[in-house]
Amino acid sequence: MKKRARSLGAVILVTGLVALAGCSAAESGGDDDGSVTITIGNLPSTEQAASRDAILAQIKAFQKKYPDITVEAEETYWDPATFNAMVAGGTMPTVLTVPMTEIQSLGQRGQIADISAEVEASETLSALNPTIMTTVTGPEDEIFGVPINVYSQGLMFNRAIFEEAGLDPDAPPTTWAEVASAAKTITDKTGVPGLVLMTSGNLGGWTLTGMTYAFGDLMETSEDGTPVANVDNDSAIAALEFIQDARWKDNSLGANFIMTSDDSRNEFGAGRAGIVISGTDLYGDSVVNRGMDPQDFGLAPMPQAEGGLGALGGGNVQVVSATASAEQRDAATKWIDFAQIARFTDEDQAVAAAKAESADGLPVGAPGLPLVGADLFAQYNEWIAPYVNVPTENFELYASTVETIPLVPEPSQHAQELYAALDPVVQAVLTREDADIRALLGDVQTQMETLLAD
């Protein structure tokens, strides 16, 4: 992780709030005897007994290691409809899991704490993958949270369908021209859609945003720290023209153009789609939940056009409440480290987790972005090697490029609103041969300019 100029002002601000309040140790979450209490959200309900018990067992082990820290778990989850009220009412847990799309907005609104000092003081957290940490790092080098699972967009493909179409599954497409060619060949030779695109539930916009990155532009830029809409850019036009050609010239996208995430996963898992653009964490859902043969699952990185910026990244982040005291921030980051990250530095924890997942029939060694740096991740993989139960050889191209293709964060402001506005654009291109791409993007550009100006 790069050394950063510490945002001293932010530290003074946060700690100053506590000092100004003139609060007691107990009011700040600490006790006179030096002990501290934190609350953590995301406790599974009693209907998910096994997962709930696992969290409670982790708390017990954590408190044994840190007897001065009391952890109180609650069934509070991220909900965009109620989050602001929860913060205003002071009921946000000390630690909560939030989507990565929200992290910059929450940080810049001061609703979550800057934990850069605590992260830098932790040997484990300071060794997290620098590429991934850019997604939670603010403009003044603040660190707004700890990523706990991260994915990038990529190409999932069905290896059996590739073989049936006469394509080499060990040489998946690496350019957009090759994606178009493979999709057409699959449709022509097998009759199934060569490429399936999600188009609803904000995922049409999410997919188009990732393709725009891969063609070379952002949907949202920044001027002097202020986000600026950049929707009607040349790369978004190129991405939509790619979709337009695949639909109307090659007829390789199937016939369902209102495609939800679940629809897409069902089609892929059932062997009715050659390629899907999705998060690279799809393996477990496809194999465990939808019955896909593990040997059929293929994964390739997101193709990059000349000037491509990289692959859109996403996932979940654990954040700390902005009202947490210094003692609570320290305790909270220790908890996040213990519960989420320590398996990468502790062989016993790594092996125990891999054994349990394997025993439960869950994938061990599934493809994904490493949370830690290359050396630690290599060491972790050695520890869990006896329990790996996925065909890692099928993901070789992805694994060999994951460190070289930059991870590009989602838009920092109003990402979900942008995606929602882009869904109809993608649907229009798929359902109307004469869809005016520039006019459609221009309308969304105007919407986002208005939204960002508020």
Side-chain angles (χ1 to χ4, degrees):
M1 176 180 296
K2 68 177 181 179
K3 298 299 292 183
R4 56 183 62 75
R6 179 74 181 91
S7 180
L8 184 59
V11 175
I12 292 172
L13 174 61
V14 174
T15 55
L17 289 173
V18 176
L20 285 172
C23 57
S24 67
E27 288 170 324
S28 68
D31 293 327
D32 293 336
D33 62 359
S35 62
V36 62
T37 299
I38 61 171
T39 53
I40 62 167
N42 301 91
L43 177 68
S45 70
T46 53
E47 294 177 351
Q48 299 172 291
S51 297
R52 184 184 181 95
D53 289 347
I55 294 291
L56 296 176
Q58 267 192 319
I59 292 173
K60 188 175 180 181
F62 177 77
Q63 292 182 152
K64 183 177 181 181
K65 181 175 182 179
Y66 299 103
D68 293 336
I69 301 175
T70 298
V71 178
E72 298 176 350
E74 56 185 65
E75 297 176 17
T76 302
Y77 282 79
W78 159 260
D79 182 345
T82 61
F83 182 78
N84 288 339
M86 183 170 64
V87 171
T91 58
M92 176 182 168
T94 315
V95 178
L96 188 69
T97 300
V98 305
M100 194 172 281
T101 50
E102 307 298 326
I103 193 75
Q104 295 295 336
S105 297
L106 299 178
Q108 290 169 32
R109 290 200 297 267
Q111 293 178 308
I112 55 178
D114 171 12
I115 56 171
S116 49
E118 290 76 15
V119 169
E120 289 181 355
S122 164
E123 181 179 357
T124 308
L125 298 182
S126 62
L128 290 174
N129 187 331
T131 300
I132 291 175
M133 289 303 289
T134 61
T135 62
V136 296
T137 302
E140 300 296 327
D141 282 340
E142 313 96 320
I143 294 179
F144 293 132
V146 177
I148 58 171
N149 58 65
V150 182
Y151 61 82
S152 62
Q153 272 187 352
L155 303 180
M156 301 337 102
F157 63 96
N158 187 308
R159 293 174 59 86
I161 291 178
F162 262 55
E163 289 182 345
E164 184 181 348
L167 300 171
D168 182 357
D170 293 324
T174 58
T175 68
W176 288 104
E178 290 177 0
V179 173
S181 176
K184 186 176 188 309
T185 298
I186 289 168
T187 298
D188 291 345
K189 296 288 183 63
T190 71
V192 304
L195 174 63
V196 164
L197 295 173
M198 294 180 285
T199 62
S200 66
N202 297 2
L203 290 168
W206 177 78
T207 301
L208 176 59
T209 297
M211 292 178 69
T212 299
Y213 290 178
F215 276 90
D217 275 298
L218 298 171
M219 288 294 198
E220 183 183 289
T221 58
S222 176
E223 292 182 4
D224 298 326
T226 301
V228 177
N230 186 47
V231 179
D232 54 350
N233 63 74
D234 290 343
S235 297
I237 293 170
L240 286 168
E241 288 175 342
F242 168 88
I243 294 172
Q244 195 172 49
D245 287 347
R247 165 68 177 95
W248 297 103
K249 291 183 179 177
D250 297 341
N251 192 29
S252 57
L253 302 184
N256 180 2
F257 303 123
I258 306 297
M259 182 73 73
T260 67
S261 172
D262 211 41
D263 293 337
S264 168
R265 290 172 179 234
N266 282 336
E267 294 305 292
F268 186 64
R272 296 191 294 262
I275 304 170
V276 298
I277 296 174
S278 184
T280 52
D281 57 349
L282 194 60
Y283 178 90
D285 182 67
S286 299
V287 172
V288 177
N289 300 330
R290 302 176 199 267
M292 187 175 190
D293 186 333
Q295 292 296 336
D296 289 347
F297 188 96
L299 170 61
M302 194 74 163
Q304 299 295 305
E306 184 176 355
L309 303 178
L312 183 150
N316 290 304
V317 180
Q318 288 205 325
V319 299
V320 177
S321 169
T323 62
S325 67
E327 292 84 357
Q328 287 175 316
R329 289 201 307 276
D330 179 67
T333 49
K334 281 186 169 68
W335 163 255
I336 296 170
D337 184 350
F338 180 88
Q340 304 290 343
I341 309 297
R343 69 183 187 276
F344 294 107
T345 58
D346 184 308
E347 183 174 1
D348 290 340
Q349 285 202 39
V351 170
K355 273 184 177 178
E357 290 167 355
S358 179
D360 286 341
L362 299 174
V364 178
L369 290 174
L371 287 175
V372 294
D375 291 344
L376 282 179
F377 194 60
Q379 181 185 61
Y380 168 74
N381 282 328
E382 285 183 14
W383 291 339
I384 67 168
Y387 311 99
V388 169
N389 55 11
V390 306
T392 55
E393 65 277 11
N394 291 348
F395 320 131
E396 188 172 341
L397 178 61
Y398 174 79
S400 65
T401 59
V402 69
E403 296 289 345
T404 60
I405 296 178
L407 193 66
V408 185
E410 297 180 80
S412 64
Q413 303 291 322
H414 301 296
Q416 294 302 327
E417 290 91 337
L418 169 66
Y419 297 159
L422 288 172
D423 273 3
V425 174
V426 177
Q427 292 168 13
V429 170
L430 290 170
T431 56
R432 301 201 323 255
E433 189 169 6
D434 61 348
D436 186 336
I437 289 174
R438 290 181 182 275
L440 290 165
L441 289 176
D443 288 344
V444 179
Q445 173 75 19
T446 301
Q447 293 177 49
M448 294 309 298
E449 286 175 354
T450 302
L451 195 58
L452 290 171
D454 288 342

